[in-house]
Amino acid sequence: MALFDYLDVLMFAGLCLAILLGYPVTFTLLGIALFFALLGWLTGHFDAGLLGALSQRIFGIMTNPVLIAIPVFVFMGAVLEKSRIAEDLLEQMGRLFGSIRGGLAVSVVVVGALLAASTGIVGATVVAMGLIALPTMLANGYDKRLAAGTVCTAGTLGQIIPPSTLLIILSDVMSNAYQQAQFAEGKFTVETISVGQTFAAALVPGFVLVALYIAYIMAIAYLRPAMAPPLTRPPKLSGQDEARGGVLGVLMPPIVLIVAVLGSILGGIATPTEAAAVGAVGAVLLAALRLGDARTRKLVLIGGAALAVLAVLAGVAPVRLQRGDLDGGDYAIGAIGIVLTLVVALALIKAFRTTGKAGILKDAATGTMTVSAMIFGTIIGANVFSLVFRGLGGDARIEEILTLMPGGADGALIFVMILVFVLGFFLDFVEISVILLPIVAPALILMGHDPVWLSVLIAINLQTSFLTPPFGFSLFYLRGAAPPEITTGTIYAGVLPFIGLQALGVAAVWLLPPLATALPAWLF
């Protein structure tokens, strides 16, 4: 009978074993949860009435205004990735920095940061740069390990630089954990953690990581010039006519899109879902701008300008035409708004036709559906798992374990960070975020850790898990896209220094909490 007192421990162990056997995570979570719920009910250790909350939990997930932004951001990133905007960015940044030692590697890091802030899709970014930048780096004499490590690491910036799917999920998880912690303290007027706060908190640490990568590359180029020589051959990347782009012409559209999406969230102008919708529309316009003829590009530019003016107008002088106290000026502003809306609609129709003919919309929609189904399926399965786990007393046991850790609150956090890092060898970031964090985060917050700061630490840790041999996902992405001369051992050796830089980034945020907390405190 004593064995049944540890059903929560057996449940977690059974989940780890089933996942390692290769079963789909969503079905594994549901199967393990229902099996142990039945076993707990039969042995008197679980109240089956708790399962009555499942329908409300699932409905809450599907209607969660934070999580609804995920498919829209995924669609935005998929459109930008399918339209091959990364090629233009790499080409122009290569021309800008390529003449200096290590310049091409610096270009890869900068483009990785730009793509992270516009697409947020790690796999697509690593594969794109592996196909485009890696051969160019090798052709110009770059050390294989440095080239592979740079491409692999730059591609993972999509995990920490907003708008990131990881940060959206972390925001929801930490908000729920923060509310649980407040309830446990007897506070019933609860505060929450918004997506905007999490985005703002991750922004500076993300740039710190970019600065660390660039500093390391420049140091290698200075100390060992043969490993990162100046560019001797112009990159043959996209074949884009320079008259259509140039550095500013290629850089400005993604930067404007990034500013529109992040600026509207951080400025409190739009919710994450609204900002994601703006990003999706902007991504379609950018794709049409790149793929269309001269007439299409002209109409898209006019539509984009009209959209920007309409957004400003709606914020500065909103008009509700159904009101009865409007004067002539209000009707004039309303008429201008209607005209601008029609212009935007025409540009969007043309953009959708252009991207549809190119096959981008179909591929992007299919990819969005696949990724979104995986994420939401995992979240639903994890909610069922956590409900049963808590019903078996698992949350109390976890809190007890963390409380007994040597070193107090810091010791408990070190234990959780190590656990997250180790699980990152085997599990995806979505699985870790929605399975483990809801269990441990409330206890850590009750110990006094700031939830926003905690989110950033865990986000950097999860980003590191993409690079850790032998199972880091980015390593597999690059292995599939790399030329034959780049072996698996070369990739492993190349990412090791960058893993050290990641650890340095975690230490910087740990020792200097204002890196993560100052910006959200100022903005919110």
Side-chain angles (χ1 to χ4, degrees):
M1 294 297 293
L3 181 64
F4 293 121
D5 294 332
Y6 295 92
L7 282 179
D8 52 337
V9 177
L10 294 174
M11 182 180 180
F12 191 81
L15 174 67
C16 295
L17 178 61
I19 289 176
L20 290 177
L21 290 176
Y23 291 107
V25 174
T26 300
F27 301 118
T28 299
L29 287 166
L30 292 171
I32 292 290
L34 294 178
F35 173 78
F36 276 90
L38 177 61
L39 185 60
W41 176 66
L42 291 174
T43 58
H45 290 76
F46 180 76
D47 181 7
L50 288 174
L51 297 178
L54 283 181
S55 59
Q56 292 179 333
R57 280 191 165 219
I58 294 173
F59 181 77
I61 292 168
M62 302 310 294
T63 57
N64 188 321
V66 173
L67 297 180
I68 287 174
I70 290 176
V72 192
F73 273 126
V74 171
F75 176 79
M76 166 185 157
V79 170
L80 291 175
E81 185 257 323
K82 300 296 181 184
S83 60
R84 305 174 74 87
I85 289 175
E87 296 187 10
D88 293 342
L89 287 171
L90 280 168
E91 179 178 358
Q92 296 300 334
M93 295 304 294
R95 292 177 180 175
L96 190 64
F97 294 111
S99 59
I100 62 175
R101 284 186 296 184
L104 190 54
V106 171
S107 301
V108 170
V109 173
V110 173
V111 170
L114 288 173
L115 292 177
S118 54
T119 69
I121 303 178
V122 170
T125 304
V126 173
V127 170
M129 291 198 292
L131 292 171
I132 302 165
L134 192 54
T136 304
M137 296 174 79
L138 297 177
N140 284 275
Y142 268 72
D143 180 80
K144 294 178 182 178
R145 292 167 298 176
L146 178 63
T150 301
V151 169
C152 209
T153 306
T156 63
L157 287 169
Q159 291 294 94
I160 187 64
I161 295 180
S164 159
T165 302
L166 167 63
L167 294 177
I168 296 173
I169 296 174
L170 275 178
S171 170
D172 184 64
V173 169
M174 282 299 171
S175 180
N176 293 332
Y178 188 37
Q179 290 181 28
Q180 290 179 37
Q182 288 180 301
F183 280 130
E185 292 177 336
K187 299 177 182 177
F188 298 102
T189 306
V190 296
E191 300 175 3
T192 60
I193 306 300
S194 69
V195 174
Q197 286 175 286
T198 308
F199 280 5
L203 206 55
V204 174
F207 289 136
V208 168
L209 287 177
V210 171
L212 287 173
Y213 299 159
I214 292 176
Y216 168 73
I217 291 167
M218 298 305 292
I220 287 292
Y222 177 77
L223 297 173
R224 298 184 179 180
M227 292 182 66
L231 194 61
T232 57
R233 305 180 188 179
K236 297 178 181 179
L237 300 174
S238 69
Q240 188 83 323
D241 184 6
E242 196 166 339
R244 289 176 55 184
V247 175
L248 285 179
V250 171
L251 286 179
M252 284 308 295
I255 290 175
V256 169
L257 181 64
I258 292 165
V259 170
V261 173
L262 292 184
S264 59
I265 295 175
L266 299 181
I269 300 172
T271 65
T273 307
E274 293 166 345
V278 171
V281 169
V284 173
L285 292 176
L286 285 184
L289 187 65
R290 185 189 187 281
L291 299 171
D293 55 21
R295 185 177 178 182
T296 300
R297 292 199 299 274
K298 183 177 180 181
L299 179 58
V300 167
L301 287 173
I302 294 173
L307 182 62
V309 174
L310 186 63
V312 173
L313 191 65
V316 174
V319 175
R320 294 171 176 81
L321 295 178
Q322 69 270 26
R323 291 175 53 179
D325 58 345
L326 301 179
D327 55 24
D330 293 324
Y331 282 111
I333 294 174
I336 294 172
I338 291 172
V339 172
L340 290 173
T341 302
L342 291 174
V343 173
V344 173
L346 289 174
L348 276 176
I349 291 171
K350 185 64 175 177
F352 276 113
R353 289 185 62 185
T354 302
T355 51
K357 288 180 180 178
I360 289 176
L361 284 184
K362 180 181 177 181
D363 293 342
T366 303
T368 300
M369 181 178 66
T370 303
V371 173
S372 300
M374 181 273 292
I375 291 174
F376 278 88
T378 305
I379 292 174
I380 290 172
N383 263 265
V384 178
F385 180 89
S386 65
L387 179 65
V388 176
F389 186 78
R390 286 192 169 91
L392 293 171
D395 55 340
R397 191 182 301 277
I398 291 293
E399 185 175 347
E400 180 184 356
I401 292 172
L402 294 179
T403 304
L404 294 175
M405 279 288 156
D410 287 340
L413 182 54
I414 290 172
F415 170 76
V416 171
M417 292 290 283
I418 293 173
L419 182 60
V420 168
F421 181 78
V422 173
L423 288 176
F425 284 32
F426 313 102
L427 303 181
D428 185 68
F429 72 92
V430 177
E431 297 155 11
I432 296 174
S433 300
V434 300
I435 297 172
L436 176 67
L437 297 187
I439 299 172
V440 300
L444 291 175
I445 294 171
L446 281 171
M447 290 179 175
H449 292 299
D450 182 276
V452 175
W453 174 76
L454 195 59
S455 299
V456 176
L457 276 181
I458 293 172
I460 299 176
N461 196 349
L462 288 173
Q463 181 195 355
T464 306
S465 71
F466 269 72
L467 297 173
T468 47
F471 302 114
F473 288 93
S474 292
L475 308 178
F476 292 121
Y477 295 145
L478 185 60
R479 174 63 277 177
E485 61 266 30
I486 299 295
T487 64
T488 302
T490 301
I491 297 174
Y492 286 178
V495 297
L496 288 179
F498 291 96
I499 293 174
L501 295 176
Q502 292 279 138
L504 193 58
V506 171
V509 175
W510 188 306
L511 297 174
L512 299 172
L515 287 175
T517 58
L519 185 58
W522 177 64
L523 289 174
F524 297 93

